[in-house]
Amino acid sequence: MNELTRIETTLKDWETDQEVRWCPGCGDYAILKAVQRTLPQIGADPAKTVFVSGIGCSSRFPYYVESYGFHTIHGRAPAFVTGIKLANPDLDIWMVTGDGDGMSIGGNHTMHLLRRNLDCQILLFNNEIYGLTKGQYSPTSRRGTTSPTSPGGSVDRPANPCAFALGSGARFVARGYDVSKDLGDVLVAAHAHRGAAFIEIFQNCIVYNKDVFDDFTQKKVAAETQVWAIDGEPLVFGAGKDKVPTRGLALDAAAMALKVVDITDGDWQAAGVLVHDQTNRILAHMLVELEFGPFPMVLGVIYDDPRPTYDAAIAEQMQAARAKGAARNRGDLAALLAKGQTWTVSGTAQDPI
């Protein structure tokens, strides 16, 4: 994407005249506000910004952002995003999807968007349930989730969106949650990344999966259950006296795995706590695969290591083709179509066939 000219806007400039219609208390409200606050911060231009969604509660998003937008079909938002970006590389594209839309029917489309590394921001709202279609269990639902389609409890092993993204070749992977004060920072970092930036956002479905993330999002437990990955900073958590971290993540060399270690008097280095390196792909895999419960939930920018984008490569290829065609005087489409084996059908409508 060419560098966009920053313009001055306010939150009000990004609010539409449409009534925001989600269930009262839905986490989508908080995510919408976080995005609308972020857009002025990054100097986004409504005339060059596009929000694209598939189908689901999250996919109502384009109606509520004062910019261009497409509410597309189930699971196919990545295909629309790709077409839009290739047609106009100067547009700033945000894709909004859910755990059902993006990880089930649209899983293959999401995979190809990531592996191609198209320059866009991908917001995957994960509420671990199908909300719009009345509470069936989704690809990310936990084992034992009871729903209309799993009355005896789901026996599926849930998909891990961030692990999926890394496995698909994503070069930017992050996590946040709906009411987090730090979600905006994650969105800013995603926008600064050139390429496909994947952000999993835990979102509370107030009706069908209420408070499922309370075990790490509630303020009273957050310090003990969250690790915020910040490049160059130790992976620490826990709140001791004066909020000094009491635990951290270290490498168990024998097991080639991460482990939780205790920190004495704030000396995380003596405890062997790892410093986060957002360009370390192996570390990113280890962090997103940690099982919550024995381990804290890892949030923030987990991986950020840019590489050339698909849209830039296509643009270069097209430019080279045009230059080659111009040099050989082959800009005539009719002449190109007529080249090679051609024939003319003669006769009239009365002639036998």
Side-chain angles (χ1 to χ4, degrees):
M1 182 182 73
N2 297 332
E3 290 298 321
L4 295 172
T5 302
R6 291 176 59 93
I7 70 167
E8 293 292 329
T9 61
T10 66
L11 184 149
K12 289 290 185 182
D13 294 320
W14 295 94
E15 295 178 338
T16 70
D17 60 358
Q18 300 297 299
E19 179 187 358
V20 182
R21 298 185 65 182
W22 285 307
C23 299
C26 175
D28 288 355
Y29 286 97
I31 301 173
L32 174 62
K33 281 302 177 188
V35 171
Q36 288 173 328
R37 291 190 181 102
T38 299
L39 293 167
Q41 186 178 349
I42 61 177
D45 183 351
K48 293 186 177 181
T49 302
V50 185
F51 279 80
V52 182
S53 66
I55 295 295
C57 295
S58 63
S59 293
R60 299 183 63 83
F61 217 86
Y63 297 108
Y64 308 139
V65 182
E66 188 61 43
S67 67
Y68 290 102
F70 288 87
H71 188 179
T72 70
I73 52 181
H74 208 359
R76 272 62 177 183
F80 286 83
V81 166
T82 302
I84 295 165
K85 188 66 177 179
L86 294 185
N88 190 344
D90 290 335
L91 294 178
D92 186 15
I93 304 179
W94 298 72
M95 187 183 105
V96 180
T97 186
D99 47 302
D101 182 61
M103 296 295 294
S104 184
I105 189 170
N108 59 328
H109 292 273
T110 304
M111 176 188 74
H112 294 303
L113 184 65
L114 292 168
R115 74 170 178 82
R116 285 172 171 156
N117 196 36
L118 190 88
D119 188 24
C120 63
Q121 293 75 240
I122 304 163
L123 312 184
L124 186 140
F125 296 13
N126 183 8
N127 55 20
E128 297 186 1
I129 207 75
Y130 278 105
L132 186 67
T133 52
K134 307 302 185 261
Q136 301 89 340
Y137 81 95
S138 83
T140 60
S141 295
R142 304 176 194 187
R143 289 172 66 94
T145 298
T146 57
S147 76
T149 49
S150 57
S154 171
V155 297
D156 279 2
R157 188 170 297 279
N160 181 328
C162 286
F164 169 86
L166 284 168
S168 298
R171 308 299 296 188
F172 181 102
V173 175
R175 275 198 194 124
Y177 61 94
D178 46 16
V179 296
S180 169
K181 63 180 178 60
D182 297 308
L183 179 58
D185 293 337
V186 174
L187 296 173
V188 169
H191 186 265
H193 177 88
R194 287 293 168 261
F198 181 89
I199 312 101
E200 177 186 15
I201 305 174
F202 296 111
Q203 175 255 321
N204 186 29
C205 176
I206 198 74
V207 175
Y208 296 110
N209 212 15
K210 184 180 179 182
D211 302 334
V212 70
F213 303 118
D214 274 6
D215 47 5
F216 68 87
T217 61
Q218 286 291 295
K219 187 175 181 179
K220 61 184 178 182
V221 299
E224 298 295 334
T225 57
Q226 297 178 12
V227 168
W228 279 87
I230 302 172
D231 192 43
E233 297 292 329
L235 294 165
V236 295
F237 63 107
K241 186 178 180 181
D242 298 325
K243 296 184 179 181
V244 174
T246 57
R247 290 186 290 171
L249 297 176
L251 180 65
D252 183 340
M256 288 300 294
L258 297 180
K259 62 180 179 180
V260 174
V261 294
D262 293 326
I263 299 173
T264 303
D265 298 328
D267 192 350
W268 57 267
Q269 291 172 306
V273 174
L274 291 171
V275 172
H276 184 48
D277 177 2
Q278 66 183 21
T279 66
N280 188 324
R281 193 173 187 83
I282 295 174
L283 177 59
H285 273 284
M286 297 173 79
L287 290 173
V288 301
E289 293 280 6
L290 289 178
E291 180 184 358
F292 179 72
F295 292 92
M297 179 60 68
V298 181
L299 303 163
V301 179
I302 298 169
Y303 183 61
D304 184 358
D305 188 18
R307 70 175 180 189
T309 65
Y310 179 73
D311 44 294
I314 290 292
E316 290 175 8
Q317 193 175 65
M318 290 178 66
Q319 185 176 11
R322 290 192 186 100
K324 184 177 180 181
R328 296 184 178 182
N329 195 27
R330 292 183 179 176
D332 187 340
L333 180 60
L336 180 63
L337 292 174
K339 180 183 177 183
Q341 293 182 338
T342 63
W343 61 92
T344 301
V345 178
S346 62
T348 67
Q350 288 75 33
D351 291 339
I353 297 176

